[in-house]
């Protein structure tokens, strides 16, 4: 069948080319559109003046103080959401990489492969991703502040991220017609890979640019080195 | 008697400002996951009884987001609405925190610049004092 031949071979290669070329394009266009900025000369020269330590009323090493500070971070304010999003992203990225079925295909086509996790483990990771997707969906539907900024594209993003996991799970458990399910799985996976550098999934690239390279009030690490323009 | 007509909005001027920071704007709007984790970091959001309109991302989406989606073709009324958002609902204190590192204040400041280019400016002396809700 023509369509299945397309999905089986050329489209896989095309989607990976799209992903790597698109990522390269995004990184290069960021580099050309931004410039390095040194720290302000006054700040560079002057070392922080020695301050006489005043005795502190607060015991800043106490658990109570540290816990109070922790409560102010995004992890402290939205603990459930942060836990779910970390589990979601870890499983989302690790599952396809260390999946036995994928590694076989990778070995056949390139001769290289990643180590594989036991299939029972990846199977539960797949279900975890789907459960997290459901959590995000319900949050979008029922939490007022999330609904206020939700657009159609957010539902699309959730479905595109969830589709390869749903179809992969169904195919693995041979629910429905296997051949069709695997085709649907490959197609949805290819669509997701192709879209990564161009759609809302661009946050995968810009998370690192925003938080480690661009200078702003929330830059992590050494405080960043570049600014826009 | 002459009726006072409102000056036209200079779309070209707005477009020029938008284009000068095109990639930055498109990346900001695209990479925002609409997750609302920035909500609690804005003191105005918390002072206003968690009104979603005070959420940092809501303010960016409805100011710079609107301007860039409409490619600068906004009416004066829409600019007045944006004025309310970028002056009354944000004080540019730069305390907002987005896990994805989106620089919200810089986008709000840009929206203010666009408003100013059209003579739409917040007049504090005309402010009607309303009781705090
Ligand atoms: C691009 C082409 C892709 C191909 C050719 C492909 C192929 C396959 C194959 C052959 C299986 C094994 C099914 C079985 O054991 O019977 C599988 C399972 C799976 N795939 Fe993919 N896949 C692709 C992309 C993706 C992507 C992008 C993701 C996720 C981001 C993904 C996630 C999964 C998962 C989670 C399973 C296993 C489900 C389970 O064990 O419960 N796949 N895939
Ligand atoms: C290493 C890279 C990544 C980082 C650091 C990252 C970080 C984030 C953060 C901070 C959020 C906002 C919190 C949330 O809504 O869960 C988010 C949301 C999201 N991310 Fe990622 N992400 C990465 C990669 C990916 C990839 C590869 C995908 C999909 C293929 C993805 C799909 C999503 C989705 C669907 C949401 C929205 C969840 C919702 O509807 O609330 N992310 N990401
Ligand atoms: S600005 Fe950041 S924290 Fe706020 S909704 Fe967008 S991605 Fe989430
Ligand atoms: S800069 Fe504006 S949006 Fe950010 S915390 Fe301050 S008032 Fe809120």
């Amino acid at each position: 069948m023509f369509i299945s031949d397309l999905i089986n071979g050329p489209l896989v290669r095309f989607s990976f080319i799209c992903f790597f070329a698109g990522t390269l394009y995004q990184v290069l266009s960021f580099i050309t559109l931004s410039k390095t900025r040194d720290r302000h000369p006054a700040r560079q020269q002057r070392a922080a003046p020695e301050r006489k330590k005043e005795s502190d009323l607060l015991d800043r090493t106490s658990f109570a103080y540290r816990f109070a500070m922790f409560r102010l971070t995004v992890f402290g304010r939205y603990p459930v959401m942060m836990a779910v999003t970390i589990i979601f992203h870890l499983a989302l990225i690790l599952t396809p990489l260390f999946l036995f079925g994928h590694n076989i295909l990778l070995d056949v086509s390139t001769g290289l492969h990643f180590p594989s996790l036991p299939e029972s483990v990846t199977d539960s990771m797949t279900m975890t991703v789907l459960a997290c997707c459901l959590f995000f969906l319900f949050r979008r539907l029922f939490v007022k502040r999330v609904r206020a900024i939700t657009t159609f594209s957010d539902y699309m993003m959730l479905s595109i991220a969830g589709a390869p996991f749903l179809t992969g799970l169904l195919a693995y458990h041979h629910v429905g017609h296997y051949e069709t399910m695997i085709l649907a799985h490959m197609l949805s996976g290819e669509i997701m890979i192709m879209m990564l550098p161009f759609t809302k999934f661009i946050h995968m690239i810009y998370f690192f640019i925003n938080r480690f390279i661009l200078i702003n009030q929330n830059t992590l690490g050494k405080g960043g080195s570049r600014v826009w323009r | 008697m002459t009726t006072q007509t409102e000056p036209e909005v200079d779309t070209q001027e707005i477009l020029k400002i938008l284009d000068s920071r095109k990639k930055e704007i498109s990346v900001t709007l695209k990479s925002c996951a609409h997750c609302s984790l920035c909500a609690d970091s804005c003191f105005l959001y918390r002072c206003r009884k968690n009104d979603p309109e005070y959420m940092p991302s809501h303010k960016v989406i409805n100011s710079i987001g609107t301007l860039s989606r409409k490619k600068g073709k906004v009416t004066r009324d829409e600019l007045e609405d944006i004025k309310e958002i970028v002056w009354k609902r944000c004080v540019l204190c730069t305390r907002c925190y987005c896990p994805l590192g989106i620089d919200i204040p810089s986008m709000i400041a840009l929206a203010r610049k666009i408003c100013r280019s059209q003579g739409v400016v917040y007049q504090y002396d005309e402010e009607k004092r309303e009781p705090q809700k």
Side-chain angles (χ1 to χ4, degrees):
Chain A
M1 209 175 109
F2 173 64
I3 297 177
S4 66
D5 283 344
L6 190 70
I7 295 173
N8 265 321
L11 208 54
V12 180
R13 257 162 276 146
F14 179 72
S15 64
F16 277 101
I17 292 170
C18 249
F19 171 68
F20 288 114
T23 307
L24 194 68
Y25 162 75
Q26 293 293 356
V27 172
L28 288 181
S29 70
F30 168 73
I31 291 172
T32 50
L33 288 169
S34 64
K35 59 171 196 244
T36 54
R37 188 161 81 180
D38 300 325
R39 298 187 71 184
H40 193 278
R43 271 209 178 176
Q44 250 168 3
Q45 290 161 9
R46 231 186 305 127
E50 268 309 309
R51 284 237 188 93
K52 218 171 67 206
K53 259 256 161 77
E54 282 176 36
S55 65
D56 215 333
L57 286 176
L58 274 171
D59 176 11
R60 284 173 207 272
T61 54
S62 70
F63 175 76
Y65 179 81
R66 288 191 180 159
F67 187 69
M69 288 324 257
F70 169 76
R71 288 281 295 152
L72 292 177
T73 65
V74 74
F75 294 93
R77 305 239 44 116
Y78 303 109
V80 178
M81 174 62 182
M82 286 313 282
V84 172
T85 192
I86 287 169
I87 293 169
F88 168 78
H89 281 92
L90 281 179
L92 179 95
I93 292 166
L94 297 182
T95 314
L97 287 183
F98 301 113
L99 190 82
F100 184 61
H102 286 182
N103 279 327
I104 291 178
L105 293 176
L106 199 63
D107 195 65
V108 168
S109 56
T110 64
L112 300 165
H113 62 88
F114 294 106
S116 301
L117 287 166
E119 285 196 293
S120 59
V121 174
T122 47
D123 199 29
S124 355
M125 282 162 83
T126 307
M127 288 184 235
T128 312
V129 170
L130 290 170
C132 295
C133 282
L134 275 184
F135 173 83
F136 292 144
L137 178 68
F138 285 124
R139 217 173 81 93
R140 286 222 173 278
L141 290 171
F142 300 117
V143 179
K144 195 170 123 201
R145 62 168 196 281
V146 188
R147 207 170 45 211
I149 47 171
T150 294
T151 54
F152 179 67
S153 70
D154 297 315
Y155 294 112
M156 282 310 288
M157 186 168 156
L158 262 183
S159 341
I160 292 168
F165 289 87
L166 183 64
T167 50
L169 185 80
L170 294 180
Y172 176 74
H173 291 281
H174 290 257
V175 180
H177 188 240
Y178 182 77
E179 310 298 325
T180 324
M181 204 52 88
I182 269 297
L183 269 188
H185 173 71
M186 292 175 69
L187 186 62
S188 61
E190 285 154 3
I191 289 174
M192 187 185 110
I193 293 171
M194 271 188 266
M195 288 178 85
L196 282 175
F198 304 107
T199 54
K200 289 194 93 91
F201 297 126
I202 199 178
H203 74 257
M204 180 176 121
I205 305 167
Y206 266 89
F207 169 81
F208 297 100
I209 293 182
N210 282 339
R211 304 259 6 218
F212 292 97
I213 300 178
L214 275 172
I215 301 173
N216 66 43
Q217 63 270 23
N218 294 320
T219 316
L220 298 168
K222 289 200 185 117
S225 55
R226 296 183 84 85
V227 286
W228 281 106
R229 297 171 310 272
Chain B
M1 213 180 99
T2 53
T3 48
Q4 200 179 347
T5 51
E6 298 228 304
E8 292 267 322
V9 175
D10 187 351
T11 308
Q12 287 310 312
E13 173 103 45
I14 298 181
L15 214 52
K16 221 175 87 194
I17 300 175
L18 284 174
D19 274 349
S20 70
R21 295 172 66 175
K22 203 172 180 180
K23 184 76 181 175
E24 198 183 342
I25 295 170
S26 88
V27 158
T28 298
L29 295 172
K30 247 193 219 166
S31 56
C32 173
H34 294 181
C35 65
S36 90
L37 289 171
C38 50
D40 258 13
S41 64
C42 180
F43 75 101
L44 281 169
Y45 171 81
R46 301 184 66 189
C47 291
R48 299 294 171 148
K49 298 209 169 99
N50 298 353
D51 181 348
E53 291 199 341
Y54 284 85
M55 191 161 61
S57 50
H58 194 281
K59 294 180 253 193
V60 168
I61 292 163
N62 290 294
S63 56
I64 279 293
T66 311
L67 287 165
S68 115
R69 188 163 36 85
K70 300 200 166 172
K71 303 205 167 50
K73 290 193 195 68
V74 285
T75 62
R76 214 140 254 283
D77 278 348
E78 283 167 316
L79 273 184
E80 290 290 327
D81 288 344
I82 292 173
K83 178 185 89 176
E84 287 289 308
I85 296 172
V86 295
W87 268 285
K88 258 198 122 165
R89 291 189 211 149
C90 174
V91 299
L92 292 187
C93 66
T94 72
R95 257 56 173 176
C96 27
Y97 175 86
C98 163
L100 285 169
I102 291 172
D103 193 347
I104 286 146
S106 89
M107 285 295 124
I108 304 274
L110 182 65
R112 285 192 182 186
K113 180 177 176 182
I114 291 172
C115 285
R116 261 188 248 112
S117 79
Q118 302 306 309
V120 178
V121 196
Y122 194 76
Q123 247 121 20
Y124 291 93
D125 50 346
E126 284 175 15
E127 185 173 3
K128 284 197 207 76
R129 287 266 164 205
E130 285 161 21
Q132 287 277 330
K133 268 173 256 159

